[in-house]
Amino acid sequence: MDPVKNYERRLHRREIQRLLWLSAVVIIGGTVGFRMVEDWPWHECLYMVIITISTVGFREVHEPSPMGMALVTSIIAGGLFISLKGANLIGVTMLSTFQLRNLKKMQRLID
């Protein structure tokens, strides 16, 4: 296997793992944060984090305190960062695949 291609695969896999870890940190951190700040039951804390990250905003379980609103803001920022990083990763993957295809086509034309 081509060493460059193998390196790119490992790099791509590492980026996906980072995104998954960041997602877990935001979800778990937000849930624990709501539990500490608002003292809500665990399932309500997790529910609030999920509807905040997914931007569904179905309904708030309880009205958050000012500290809870700051937590919601940080969860939104974390979710937005992860979404943008994921979109960037998809774009880079598509471009590198497109570039690799074109290189193979050019090599076939040369041969």
Side-chain angles (χ1 to χ4, degrees), residues 10-76:
R10 285 194 335 243
L11 193 62
H12 182 70
R13 187 175 296 136
R14 193 175 308 142
E15 285 295 317
I16 291 172
Q17 288 173 345
R18 278 188 194 142
L19 275 176
L20 292 174
W21 277 110
L22 281 172
S23 299
V25 166
V26 170
I27 291 171
I28 293 169
T31 303
V32 171
F34 270 122
R35 178 71 176 175
M36 291 173 59
V37 171
E38 300 293 347
D39 198 33
W40 295 340
W42 288 104
H43 67 282
E44 290 180 1
C45 297
L46 178 63
Y47 173 79
M48 282 293 290
V49 171
I50 297 300
I51 67 167
T52 300
I53 290 174
S54 65
T55 67
V56 171
F58 181 63
R59 69 174 175 86
E60 293 179 345
V61 179
H62 306 283
E63 191 66 33
S65 65
M67 193 68 167
M69 289 180 192
L71 180 62
V72 167
T73 303
S74 64
I75 292 170
I76 291 170

Side-chain angles (χ1 to χ4, degrees), residues 98-111:
F98 178 74
Q99 183 181 19
L100 185 62
R101 253 189 233 148
N102 282 341
L103 286 173
K104 285 181 180 179
K105 280 182 185 178
M106 287 184 347
Q107 188 62 43
R108 272 186 267 143
L109 289 174
I110 292 171
D111 294 339

